[in-house]
Amino acid sequence: MKAVPKVNTDGLYLEDELVDDAFSGVVPFYTSSSLTLSDTDEQLDTYQLTIDSSSAIDEANSENIPAGYTVGIIVPRGLYHPRFDIQGWLAYEAEYGEKLLEAQNAYEQINKESQASFQKLHDEWQSKPENERGDEPVYLAQAFTSPERRDPTTFWSEGLSEEAIKELIQKAEQQPSETDQLKQRIADLEVTLTQLMLGTTGK
């Protein structure tokens, strides 16, 4: 298992979620909306509901609106409120899919031509007398190379404005450090202990 970020429909980070180690890519998640009893009563008083196949399909489609996305891409360090470019990612994936299909088609075409050329060469070799053939031709298949992919972490960016980041930094600087907090706790304990000792001595 591994932890991956979940984002809302705007791409802003929400929380981490545990998924299988093999999880990758960007997958939408959904939240089911349900009516309260009072809402249902009001609707029944106002409208006469007719259920048919088309209305059931429309209702199902309306519920399939993503509430956010689970992103199987690590978040770069240094971001205060990470934002993932959902639309950019979807557009890039569609564009890359087209490039991949073009590359596969080109590879298949080259492969067919290579096989045809090899078959012709092999037929010519086989038609010669054995003492004139020489070494038998060997077919070497070309390996398919996928188009180069963009670094997926580049779809992450800072979701906060510069003003909001400055405000966060100022608040962090104003807060005491862990060492200062520990010193204050020790001082408070010493005061409490002294008071207890004085109270015991007074009795």
Side-chain angles (χ1 to χ4, degrees):
M1 301 292 287
K2 63 179 180 180
V4 297
K6 291 177 67 176
V7 300
N8 62 15
T9 52
D10 293 326
L12 289 173
Y13 173 84
L14 296 174
E15 60 184 357
D16 282 345
E17 180 182 12
L18 286 177
V19 297
D20 188 81
D21 289 334
F23 179 84
S24 63
V26 179
V27 179
F29 63 86
Y30 305 87
T31 55
S32 57
S33 59
S34 58
L35 297 173
T36 62
L37 184 59
S38 60
D39 292 336
T40 306
D41 292 341
E42 290 177 4
Q43 290 183 10
L44 290 176
D45 293 338
T46 308
Y47 303 103
Q48 180 179 1
L49 298 178
T50 304
I51 301 177
D52 54 21
S53 59
S54 61
S55 63
I57 293 174
D58 292 340
E59 183 179 356
N61 290 336
S62 65
E63 293 179 354
N64 288 335
I65 300 176
Y69 298 84
T70 303
V71 182
I73 299 169
I74 60 173
V75 180
R77 294 184 178 181
L79 299 179
Y80 290 90
H81 194 176
R83 178 184 178 277
F84 190 79
D85 185 4
I86 297 293
Q87 298 304 320
W89 168 265
L90 295 176
Y92 171 76
E93 283 295 284
E95 180 182 354
Y96 182 82
E98 293 178 358
K99 290 183 178 180
L100 181 61
L101 182 60
E102 291 176 0
Q104 289 174 339
N105 292 336
Y107 171 76
E108 291 177 0
Q109 182 63 31
I110 294 175
N111 201 30
K112 289 179 181 179
E113 294 175 356
S114 298
Q115 288 179 351
S117 298
F118 169 76
Q119 188 62 47
K120 181 180 179 181
L121 181 64
H122 192 273
D123 291 343
E124 292 176 354
W125 173 84
Q126 202 167 23
S127 64
K128 293 180 180 180
E130 291 187 6
N131 59 346
E132 297 179 5
R133 287 181 182 178
D135 295 333
E136 182 178 3
V138 178
Y139 178 72
L140 299 176
Q142 295 184 358
F144 174 73
T145 303
S146 300
E148 185 177 355
R149 289 188 67 95
R150 170 181 168 182
D151 181 2
T153 61
T154 58
F155 287 95
W156 286 104
S157 62
E158 179 56 65
L160 292 181
S161 63
E162 293 184 6
E163 292 76 11
I165 293 174
K166 289 180 180 178
E167 185 176 350
L168 284 176
I169 294 175
Q170 289 176 354
K171 288 182 179 179
E173 291 176 347
Q174 293 172 358
Q175 293 178 353
S177 64
E178 293 184 1
T179 303
D180 293 336
Q181 292 178 9
L182 182 59
K183 289 180 179 179
Q184 184 61 45
R185 289 178 184 175
I186 294 173
D188 294 340
L189 288 174
E190 289 177 349
V191 171
T192 303
L193 182 58
T194 301
Q195 290 176 347
L196 289 173
M197 293 176 65
L198 290 175
T200 305
T201 303
K203 291 181 179 181

